Amino acid sequence: MQASRIVCGGVSMVAMKALPRHALLLGTRSLHGAVPVAMTARPFVGTIRKFSSMTPPPSSPNTNNTSNVDYERSDKEAVKDAMAVRKADISENASLSPKAPEKIYGIPSIDTSGDYNLPHPIWHADYVESVEQTHVAPKDFVDRAALWTIQAIRFNFDWMSGWSFGEHTRAKAIVRCIFLESVAGIPGSIGGILRHLASLRRMRRDHGWIHTLFEEAENERMHLLTFITMKQPTLLFKSLVWGVQGIFFNFFFAAYLLSPRFCHRLVGYLEEQAVSTYTKILKGIDEGKGDLSKWRTTPAPEIARQYWKLAPEATMRDVIAVVRADESHHRDVNHSFAGMGATDTNPFKPGH
């Protein structure tokens, strides 16, 4: 018996050496012998061969590592080409929505290309300027409870940030935006992880909600990263954010476990307030009377130009306008989720 094991092991090693290098690489996770490796590698090899030749270069009479280096570079190029095709596939699928989002939201394309960002809308200029403040009237106690909660939060936030009195200045606007976005990025991450965990526990599909919730959370975080390029928060400010984040995170976590509908309606009303805030800032910029008017000529931060694909001459007014467009989108998405069942299929494709 021991001799047979040695013979089988030797045959397996010979078979593995006979396999191409890329087959071994792609089959590493299934290395239980020669046959599983070959079976695991075969479909991947067939896919990658579409993008580049997998035939190893002719061996050199010299005993050096040149052929191995060239061969590894060929593998990397093949994987890179395969990922490019995957990105194109994501972009194509993201544009196919039954609700024709390019007509509703004015989305000319979905950005899937940059700096590890999730897919997100790139807005048409005409839509950005046509965003309107809307309000979904509460229908029952759950909706009214969500609205009352947001109204209470808004009242306290207004006077604590100085927004409810005095002139709306750039300093006030930046502080308000940073604080708002540090909280607005929480709901999507909690909703996404709880639905993810539920899908794992129940061992069934999520119906597409997870990607939309995580995209929302990242989008709000990108708003925050944009605004902090204009003002670095003080230690006191960061401490306040830390405290509020801890309170709101635990509140929203518990609430989502009890009533996802309440939470999505709550976020819908929160985004209504966000649209209102950014609309007031835009009004102050366009009227040209106060301190906010200087944002008409203030260059947009580099991170904003890259994320929203803004023109090189874009200003802070353009940034506020696209942020408002994002918030109006989150408003509509969460109000839609609040009116859907937990097992209904998400109508919003990646990036929408």
Side-chain angles (χ1 to χ4, degrees), residues 11-32:
V11 172
S12 297
M13 291 300 296
V14 171
M16 290 176 67
K17 289 182 179 179
L19 286 172
R21 182 183 179 90
H22 58 271
L24 293 178
L25 290 174
L26 292 171
T28 299
R29 295 186 179 180
S30 299
L31 285 179
H32 301 299

Side-chain angles (χ1 to χ4, degrees), residues 186-198 206 209-211 213-214 256:
I186 295 175
S189 61
I190 293 178
I193 192 62
L194 287 179
R195 290 190 66 94
H196 173 68
L197 293 175
D206 172 69
W209 292 45
I210 293 174
H211 72 77
L213 294 172
F214 280 131
Y256 205 95

Side-chain angles (χ1 to χ4, degrees), residues 22-337:
H22 58 271
L24 293 178
L25 290 174
L26 292 171
T28 299
R29 295 186 179 180
S30 299
L31 285 179
H32 301 299
V35 175
V37 171
M39 292 177 65
T40 304
R42 187 177 301 277
F44 291 97
V45 173
T47 301
I48 293 182
R49 278 176 178 167
K50 296 180 181 179
F51 308 114
S52 66
S53 173
M54 301 307 299
T55 303
S59 59
S60 172
N62 297 328
T63 57
N64 54 37
N65 295 326
T66 304
S67 61
N68 290 337
V69 173
D70 292 341
Y71 195 64
E72 290 177 0
R73 182 167 62 250
S74 177
D75 285 343
K76 292 178 181 179
E77 290 174 353
V79 172
K80 182 178 179 181
D81 291 341
M83 289 303 298
V85 172
R86 173 59 178 155
K87 285 185 177 181
D89 181 60
I90 292 174
S91 181
E92 179 182 358
N93 290 337
S95 64
L96 301 177
S97 171
K99 290 192 174 184
E102 68 278 1
K103 296 182 180 180
I104 299 175
Y105 298 119
I107 304 174
S109 63
I110 304 299
D111 179 37
T112 60
S113 60
D115 299 332
Y116 306 103
N117 292 130
L118 295 172
H120 61 93
I122 304 298
W123 305 106
H124 280 305
D126 53 352
Y127 171 74
V128 167
E129 298 300 329
S130 65
V131 171
E132 297 180 353
Q133 297 185 65
T134 61
H135 175 64
V136 174
K139 299 179 180 179
D140 53 24
F141 175 76
V142 172
D143 290 355
R144 286 192 291 273
L147 180 59
W148 294 336
T149 302
I150 289 301
Q151 287 176 338
I153 294 175
R154 172 67 187 265
F155 173 80
N156 288 281
F157 183 46
D158 281 354
W159 70 263
M160 290 177 65
S161 63
W163 193 254
S164 57
F165 53 85
E167 179 185 357
H168 290 168
T169 63
R170 288 177 297 168
K172 284 185 179 181
I174 282 293
V175 168
R176 185 177 182 82
C177 292
I178 292 176
F179 207 96
L180 176 64
E181 301 299 347
S182 69
V183 174
I186 295 175
S189 61
I190 293 178
I193 192 62
L194 287 179
R195 290 190 66 94
H196 173 68
L197 293 175
S199 178
L200 296 177
R201 289 194 308 272
R202 298 165 184 169
M203 301 182 186
R204 63 189 185 195
R205 297 289 298 273
D206 172 69
H207 307 286
W209 292 45
I210 293 174
H211 72 77
T212 297
L213 294 172
F214 280 131
E215 286 167 10
E216 174 189 309
E218 184 190 70
N219 182 253
E220 300 288 8
R221 182 170 58 85
M222 291 304 295
H223 295 174
L224 173 65
L225 296 178
T226 296
F227 289 126
I228 62 175
T229 62
M230 306 190 67
K231 178 181 176 60
Q232 284 297 318
T234 64
L235 181 60
L236 175 60
F237 188 91
K238 291 180 179 179
S239 300
L240 290 173
V241 169
W242 186 87
V244 171
Q245 187 180 82
I247 295 171
F248 187 76
F249 181 95
N250 287 283
F251 160 75
F252 198 86
F253 185 92
Y256 205 95
L257 290 174
L258 296 174
S259 177
R261 179 192 162 199
F262 165 82
C263 290
H264 286 297
R265 189 67 75 192
L266 179 82
V267 177
Y269 288 137
L270 174 65
E271 300 296 359
E272 288 182 5
Q273 298 301 321
V275 171
S276 173
T277 291
Y278 290 116
T279 299
K280 290 179 180 178
I281 294 175
L282 285 173
K283 182 179 179 181
I285 295 173
D286 294 338
E287 287 179 349
K289 297 179 181 179
D291 181 63
L292 284 173
S293 63
K294 296 180 181 179
W295 274 354
R296 296 177 66 179
T297 56
T298 301
E302 178 64 23
I303 187 175
R305 292 200 298 270
Q306 292 182 2
Y307 184 70
W308 285 286
K309 310 302 180 188
L310 300 176
E313 64 276 9
T315 65
M316 269 304 296
R317 189 207 179 278
D318 300 317
V319 174
I320 297 297
V322 293
V323 169
R324 183 181 66 166
D326 285 343
E327 303 294 9
S328 70
H329 178 49
H330 301 325
R331 173 197 65 196
D332 297 340
V333 168
N334 278 279
H335 279 315
S336 297
F337 282 170

